[in-house]
Amino acid sequence: MSRKVTDKAVGNQPVRHSRIIIVGSGFSGLGLAIRLSQQGRDDYLVLERGHDVGGTWRDNTYPGAACDVPSQLYSYSFALNPEWSRSFSKQPEIQRYIQGVADKYNVRDKHVFDCDMTGARWNAETARWEIQSSQGAFTADILISAVGALCEPNLPDIKGINDFQGEIFHSARWDHDSDLSGKRVAVIGTGASAIQIVPAIASKVAHLDVYQRTAPWLLPRADRPYLGVEKLVFKHVPGVQALSRAAIYAARETQVVGLAKFPPAMKILETIARAKLAIEVRDPALRKKVTPNFRIGCKRMLISNEYYPAISRDNVDVVTDGIKEIRANSVVTADGVEREVDAIIVATGFHVTDSPAYETISGRDGRTLAELFDEIGQQGYKGSAIHNYPNMFFMLGPNVGLGHTSMVYMIESQINYIADAVATVDRLGLRTVEVRKDVQDEYNVELQRKLEGAVWNTGGCASWYLDKHGNNTTLWPDFTFRFRSLLEKFDASAYETTSDQPTAAAV
Ligand code: N01
């Protein structure tokens, strides 16, 4: 821990140097910052483009936003919250929880808020990352990307969309000045965000058109408020909350059998989903429209008790003809029908495998991550390192995503690994550390082998889980406890290292 945070001027430009720079302060960046602080470090900074911690939970403020993983599990293991108001918390409560954790662990003063990283370039001579940002230049010995996968809104390339004269905004950039009451509204998309927005606005708009490209599978949402007595027990009886968390974890983990190992087992969930559809959508024509045509689990399974009743309302239409163009005040579908609207909500997801952030990071050979991924697809090692990007680690990198349980569990696994990596670099006096190409290649061959039979690859759907090469570069294909044990310790032997100290050797 020799090099600390310092300011120095290069020419007229002040350059701030920090031993470690974390980019992003959502669940992953914040959690890692807390761990570094707990290790007694103060030689790190967190650059956060927003004005607060929270990441996707700060940004997604659309009506109805809530988590589809129970809060007992969708929270840090080191900061259990006995005060959750319900089993599946809504966005404001989750955001308050994250803010509270940042305060409790006193890491806010390690943050530079409103600081958008616009570029990062590896300088082999100085063995440092040179970072450009909206708040000037920084350098770091170790750079950690914690920007997340669901942060860059994906705006659909629909003819005329820029000429629309009414209100138009993405689900993750909700315009709270907009009052949709009594208006004719279109929602484009029927993913996890849209199925929460539609019930939240259906009763107050005059008319709602839901533009569905692919019908999603929906399962029941076992959501309920916690009783006061339950909260008291969580708070005062040791072990009960941890036990509840473990039970939720174990129940969710059983889904891996069907999702990744033996997709025919997904029939059980499909039967439940079909029954729900039959009960909640009474109109046969509408039911036919919203019946999915792929195996459940291939795309993210959604949970809602309110979506089907909402689309069954008289003032809601599900439109399945593709959108041909958007005009000044209307949406026109492929069948030539023009529907007038006052507002359009674009709930079309995020740039996951083609994040614009990748264009800003240049590695050892000068290539950006975007160029590399364009050629070979998103590939990394343990979701945490990428060959050609020395002294750089990734939170939520390639193949860390999940469709069935809490991402916070994966995040904490990566925190273990990356915090240990940084400690190892210090302990061994390493100047550079870069994952070996042969190790990374072998890791990815094994990942893709496991994914071959998984429902995401074989279930007959198109999804953002697969990249343009047809590879699943987003999801972890196994039980999550295997990921946890794989990342328990930093494996320096998988890395090429150089050293300041001639005697240092990889362990
Ligand atoms: O985005 P999505 P999301 N024209 O990509 C459609 C997390 N999350 O924001 O299925 C017309 O899932 C697209 O159609 P299709 C969660 O991880 C969690 O809803 O590709 N339609 C799809 O219907 C989730 O997976 C929570 O055919 C177009 C929709 O838009 C992730 O965020 C809540 C289109 C996009 O669905 C993303 O969810 C919210 C086009 N050009 C989000 N392009 C919870 O925890 C896309 N679509 C509850």
Side-chain angles (χ1 to χ4, degrees):
M1 235 174 291
S2 48
R3 289 160 276 191
K4 303 226 322 179
V5 180
T6 52
D7 285 347
K8 83 174 177 181
V10 174
N12 290 331
Q13 284 284 335
V15 178
R16 267 185 105 173
H17 178 73
S18 178
R19 170 80 169 138
I20 302 167
I21 285 185
I22 301 171
V23 182
S25 190
F27 256 113
S28 68
L30 176 64
L32 183 60
I34 291 170
R35 175 69 66 84
L36 295 181
S37 281
Q38 287 173 330
Q39 288 181 337
R41 309 192 75 112
D42 67 350
D43 56 352
Y44 74 90
L45 283 178
V46 185
L47 310 187
E48 167 52 59
R49 71 178 175 180
H51 58 279
D52 199 354
V53 297
T56 195
W57 290 104
R58 179 200 60 221
D59 292 343
N60 280 272
T61 58
Y62 59 77
C67 190
D68 54 12
V69 175
S71 303
Q72 301 291 357
L73 190 59
Y74 197 83
S75 45
Y76 295 115
S77 62
F78 59 84
L80 298 186
N81 173 21
E83 302 292 343
W84 291 118
S85 64
R86 50 192 315 118
S87 48
F88 288 82
S89 299
K90 296 185 189 305
Q91 176 270 338
E93 192 172 6
I94 298 171
Q95 176 60 4
R96 279 198 304 277
Y97 166 79
I98 298 172
Q99 290 167 326
V101 172
D103 293 336
K104 180 176 173 192
Y105 289 90
N106 202 19
V107 291
R108 277 186 192 265
D109 64 352
K110 302 303 294 177
H111 284 67
V112 185
F113 288 109
D114 300 309
C115 182
D116 192 5
M117 184 186 86
T118 52
R121 194 178 71 88
W122 172 250
N123 183 330
E125 268 174 43
T126 57
R128 280 184 172 175
W129 282 94
E130 295 172 349
I131 296 155
Q132 290 81 47
S133 83
S134 58
Q135 292 209 26
F138 293 81
T139 56
D141 299 315
I142 296 173
L143 178 62
I144 298 164
S145 165
V147 298
L150 303 173
C151 57
E152 295 291 346
N154 171 35
L155 301 171
D157 185 17
I158 298 173
K159 185 180 163 202
I161 193 165
N162 293 324
D163 303 325
F164 184 66
Q165 297 295 300
E167 294 159 275
I168 180 164
F169 45 85
H170 189 272
S171 53
R173 301 286 181 271
W174 194 269
D175 179 356
H176 289 279
D177 292 333
S178 156
D179 180 6
L180 298 175
S181 307
K183 291 191 176 153
R184 296 163 303 177
V185 179
V187 170
I188 305 178
T190 52
S193 303
I195 65 117
Q196 295 185 327
I197 293 168
V198 167
I201 64 172
S203 62
K204 69 177 195 180
V205 302
H207 185 83
L208 181 59
D209 291 320
V210 180
Y211 287 87
Q212 170 192 283
R213 195 165 66 175
T214 312
W217 282 110
L218 257 72
L219 289 165
R221 187 178 178 89
D223 189 16
R224 67 174 181 87
Y226 280 123
L227 303 171
V229 65
E230 287 176 288
K231 292 192 221 171
L232 280 176
V233 170
F234 285 147
K235 193 167 185 171
H236 296 295
V237 183
V240 170
Q241 194 168 22
L243 204 63
S244 150
R245 184 180 163 95
I248 295 166
Y249 173 79
R252 295 223 152 209
E253 210 59 6
T254 58
Q255 290 185 22
V256 176
V257 176
L259 291 168
K261 314 275 178 198
F262 184 63
M266 295 306 287
K267 271 270 170 213
I268 302 167
L269 287 180
E270 197 166 308
T271 306
I272 297 170
R274 277 191 197 282
K276 177 180 171 67
L277 184 57
I279 293 164
E280 293 180 2
V281 182
R282 305 306 298 176
D283 172 9
L286 178 60
R287 194 185 313 141
K288 191 167 174 224
K289 263 188 191 178
V290 299
T291 300
N293 59 0
F294 54 89
R295 176 164 275 165
I296 193 168
C298 182
K299 288 166 97 79
R300 188 180 173 94
M301 293 177 283
L302 308 181
I303 55 167
S304 173
N305 300 335
E306 293 157 350
Y307 180 69
Y308 286 148
I311 59 170
S312 302
R313 291 171 60 95
D314 289 342
N315 69 332
V316 179
D317 286 329
V318 175
V319 182
T320 52
D321 290 293
I323 300 174
K324 190 172 110 195
E325 73 176 293
I326 291 177
R327 295 185 185 155
N329 299 297
S330 62
V331 179
V332 183
T333 41
D335 56 355
V337 176
E338 180 170 5
R339 293 174 179 83
E340 298 217 334
V341 281
D342 306 305
I344 299 178
I345 295 155
V346 182
T348 47
F350 300 88
H351 287 281
V352 179
T353 55
D354 58 347
S355 170
Y358 296 158
E359 288 162 26
T360 66
I361 301 169
S362 309
R364 185 169 39 73
D365 68 359
R367 261 198 308 182
T368 63
L369 265 177
E371 288 165 337
L372 178 74
F373 286 167
D374 190 51
E375 191 189 318
I376 62 168
Q378 285 196 123
Q379 286 185 28
Y381 178 61
K382 299 187 176 180
S384 307
I386 298 175
H387 178 70
N388 192 45
Y389 296 82
N391 289 17
M392 180 163 188
F393 294 97
F394 295 80
M395 294 294 294
L396 304 178
N399 290 100
V400 175
L402 301 172
H404 70 289
T405 191
S406 174
M407 281 307 297
V408 184
Y409 183 88
M410 302 300 268
I411 284 169
E412 288 195 34
S413 306
Q414 290 198 280
I415 289 173
N416 293 343
Y417 186 76
I418 295 173
D420 194 38
V422 171
T424 305
V425 166
D426 280 354
R427 196 177 66 247
L428 300 180
L430 301 178
R431 179 175 156 90
T432 63
V433 55
E434 176 182 350
V435 67
R436 283 164 39 198
K437 173 116 178 27
D438 60 324
V439 173
Q440 177 174 305
D441 287 348
E442 205 177 305
Y443 177 81
N444 280 281
V445 167
E446 178 60 9
L447 268 186
Q448 293 307 322
R449 188 194 63 72
K450 282 189 176 168
L451 281 159
E452 254 169 34
V455 70
W456 312 295
N457 290 37
T458 62
C461 72
S463 79
W464 54 261
Y465 294 155
L466 307 183
D467 68 10
K468 67 170 192 176
H469 304 279
N471 291 324
N472 188 331
T473 55
T474 49
L475 294 183
W476 171 246
D478 209 332
F479 295 105
T480 58
F481 54 78
R482 295 226 166 107
F483 187 74
R484 174 63 57 95
S485 73
L486 197 66
L487 276 77
E488 200 181 349
K489 285 237 146 278
F490 179 64
D491 44 351
S493 59
Y495 291 73
E496 283 157 16
T497 58
T498 63
S499 177
D500 287 333
Q501 300 168 10
T503 51
V507 287

